[in-house]
Amino acid sequence: MTDSTLDSREGAFAPVLDQEQATGALEAALAAAPADRVEAFITSRSGDFTRFAGSRVHQSQAIAEVQIMVRAEVDGRVSRAAASSFESLQEAVARACRSAAEQAAAGVAPAPARAPLPQPGTESGIAGVDPARLWGEDTAAWSVADHARLADRAMAEAHALGGEAAGMFGRAVTEVAFHDRESGLSRYAAASEAQGSLTVRIEDGSSHWKDLSRFSGRLGVEAAIDRTLSEASRTRGRAKLEPGEYDVVLGPLAAGELLDFFGAFGFTGSALGAGVGTVATHRGQQVASPLVSVHDDATQDIGLPFPFDFQGVTKRDVPLIADGVARDVVTDRETAHVLGTASTGNFHIAREEAPHAIPMNVVLRSADSSEEELIAGIEDGVYLQRFWYTRTVDPVRTTITGVTRDACFLIKNGRIVGPVESMRFTMSVLDALARVDGVGRDSLSQPLMNVFNGSASAPAIRVRGFSLGTAPVMRGRS
């Protein structure tokens, strides 16, 4: 396969390849590879993104990129080779096979064993995800001209209010093909993606919005622009907030930020196998409010659902926390073998990282309350729109630190009464989730950092007692 394929599809909202071309290229490249076992996957991503700031669109970007990864096994020794063009597929196969053979000749330790793939024919197609959840014709029709019109509207109305708007509207097609020669398993799927972000600043006021979906119509961009403009205007003249513990409503973006850390808090097969982290130490125990259920669920119709991982294993609904109880971990074939289970379809390789299993489509289950109803239940507290610059402090205690940002408001007697300044916070995520007494209805989704096709989706939540401005004090210590 050559890169001329990319040129022939330029400008179309369609996969870089298609099922026949992608799986055909993999099957042909692996057919005679000199290895005991060999598998490979292709990922492609194409799309267009309109970025804007101040008073102009400063970048109208069209992308078409391809990544290939080959895994070859010779006498139990494994090597991987990557490529970023179709022209290099066969060469990547040769490199992976040659390196694995060299390792075998040198007596390098064999690679860890893996759980077996399903029997051929039992995992074909896109079982596990309704195909209708993968592709939005509304996204295909959401053109660059539409993006530019929305950007123009946001910038013009922010300017009329004395401020500025910046952000991005875009769409993309994600395509993954996988083939394992020895099992005869080939898998393929393509999915649409629509996303947008907007920050409006007016004097010292600001507000931020972000969302992504397979369907552009679900983003509700026009309403999001209205709300972001209004909130930026209402947050002018922020008051200082004294450090302390407050009842808070975390907006969907702030609540979703907490989910980004679940991969570091012990909800993975590698952590469980090593005996560390939340599931290893608290499995079956109440670690959060009974109102809180957090799943890794790429089958759900939210975020970025997808049917299988880079090992060709079907994704499934994995309850990490169910009704507040620590339940399960995500696995790939290697960690599933160690645990004596089946893979959950969470194998991932990111740039500059070793292959490992991670939560990739994290969802905090929604409930029935509106944000207004959650706010109405607070007598004296704060609304926090989002967090910024969050980092892990203590993965054992699930403690993170960060800064509150943009539309943050003081709540008095169940009503928002005025904007407040941003503050640093340092808080255990599970402690915060244990104090949840209200879960919202409407979710927003955001990308997971450095995770291909990863997303975190959450509604607003109400937390009784959230520390702002001070680090937590360890009880029993002077």
Side-chain angles (χ1 to χ4, degrees):
M1 192 59 57
T2 72
D3 287 335
S4 62
T5 305
L6 303 181
D7 298 333
S8 66
R9 291 171 180 261
E10 189 174 357
F13 187 73
V16 173
L17 293 169
D18 56 31
Q19 182 169 3
E20 182 178 352
Q21 294 179 82
T23 56
L26 288 176
E27 291 169 6
L30 303 189
D36 299 330
R37 299 192 63 88
V38 61
E39 66 186 51
F41 66 83
I42 298 173
T43 67
S44 81
R45 187 170 168 83
S46 59
D48 36 62
F49 299 88
T50 301
R51 295 181 171 84
F52 58 96
S55 59
R56 67 188 181 90
V57 172
H58 62 82
Q59 184 181 63
S60 184
Q61 179 189 36
I63 64 166
E65 57 188 21
V66 173
Q67 297 292 326
I68 296 168
M69 180 72 72
V70 180
R71 178 189 188 276
E73 181 176 329
V74 175
D75 195 20
R77 278 71 175 180
V78 168
S79 181
R80 298 180 188 277
S84 56
S85 74
F86 291 111
E87 290 179 331
S88 302
L89 171 58
Q90 197 67 59
E91 190 271 338
V93 173
R95 277 193 289 123
C97 293
R98 184 169 59 249
S99 177
E102 290 172 353
Q103 290 185 44
V108 174
R114 305 195 294 174
L117 274 172
Q119 291 298 312
T122 62
E123 294 252 339
S124 60
I126 50 174
V129 177
D130 182 347
R133 295 180 176 179
L134 298 181
W135 188 265
E137 288 300 330
D138 55 348
T139 302
W142 198 39
S143 67
V144 174
D146 294 328
H147 306 162
R149 180 188 61 78
L150 291 165
D152 286 343
R153 187 203 149 195
M155 290 187 290
E157 295 189 19
H159 181 73
L161 293 171
E164 291 189 339
M168 180 278 295
F169 301 115
R171 60 176 186 167
V173 179
T174 296
E175 178 182 41
V176 180
F178 171 85
H179 178 60
D180 180 282
R181 185 184 66 182
E182 275 59 45
S183 71
L185 177 67
S186 291
R187 306 207 65 176
Y188 174 88
S192 62
E193 176 184 326
Q195 58 175 291
S197 67
L198 174 64
T199 301
V200 176
R201 302 189 185 286
I202 304 174
E203 300 173 4
D204 68 332
S206 65
S207 180
H208 179 79
W209 164 83
K210 180 189 301 178
D211 199 7
L212 58 80
S213 172
R214 297 291 183 212
F215 305 90
S216 62
R218 296 183 183 178
L219 300 183
V221 177
E222 298 282 4
I225 293 174
D226 291 340
R227 174 170 175 164
T228 308
L229 288 164
S230 172
E231 287 177 336
S233 182
R234 291 163 56 205
T235 51
R236 290 176 296 177
R238 299 173 190 266
K240 182 177 178 57
L241 186 67
E242 292 299 323
E245 192 170 277
Y246 292 87
D247 292 347
V248 302
V249 171
L250 302 184
L253 293 179
E257 184 83 16
L258 305 182
L259 306 182
D260 202 1
F261 295 89
F262 269 58
F265 291 164
F267 293 93
T268 64
S270 58
L272 180 58
V276 299
T278 302
V279 178
T281 57
H282 294 83
R283 193 170 205 166
Q285 299 177 21
Q286 198 80 34
V287 297
S289 161
L291 300 178
V292 172
S293 291
V294 178
H295 292 228
D296 186 87
D297 190 1
T299 70
Q300 196 172 99
D301 194 14
I302 191 171
L304 298 176
F306 206 77
F308 59 90
D309 68 359
F310 295 153
Q311 291 183 325
V313 177
T314 296
K315 292 178 175 292
R316 62 188 69 180
D317 177 6
V318 182
L320 308 177
I321 295 176
D323 302 323
V325 177
R327 290 296 185 193
D328 214 342
V329 297
V330 297
T331 59
D332 53 16
R333 292 180 61 192
E334 285 77 5
T335 52
H337 175 81
V338 172
L339 299 174
T341 62
S343 170
T344 61
N346 285 81
F347 175 80
H348 188 263
I349 298 179
R351 290 176 182 171
E352 302 177 356
E353 287 186 355
H356 62 299
I358 54 171
M360 300 168 69
N361 300 87
V362 192
V363 179
L364 196 161
R365 301 282 199 225
S366 60
D368 298 327
S369 299
S370 66
E371 264 195 11
E372 291 73 19
E373 290 169 336
L374 295 176
I375 291 169
I378 290 182
E379 182 177 351
D380 185 2
V382 184
Y383 175 88
L384 303 175
Q385 183 180 60
R386 70 159 171 151
F387 299 136
W388 184 66
Y389 226 85
T390 51
R391 296 290 186 271
T392 303
V393 174
D394 184 344
V396 174
R397 293 187 172 89
T398 72
T399 302
I400 65 171
T401 189
V403 178
T404 66
R405 185 160 177 148
D406 295 319
C408 300
F409 297 99
L410 192 65
I411 301 171
K412 292 287 187 184
N413 300 318
R415 298 180 57 196
I416 285 176
V417 296
V420 293
E421 294 179 347
S422 296
M423 294 192 75
R424 173 158 293 280
F425 72 94
T426 303
M427 182 83 185
S428 162
V429 171
L430 289 185
D431 279 354
L433 294 179
R435 302 179 185 195
V436 169
D437 76 343
V439 177
R441 178 180 58 225
D442 302 317
S443 295
L444 292 176
S445 300
Q446 52 193 310
L448 284 175
M449 186 179 298
N450 210 28
V451 178
F452 181 86
N453 203 50
S455 64
S457 304
I461 56 176
R462 186 171 59 212
V463 182
R464 298 295 183 180
F466 192 96
S467 296
L468 290 171
T470 55
V473 177
M474 298 299 297
R475 291 185 179 137
R477 296 186 182 182
S478 57

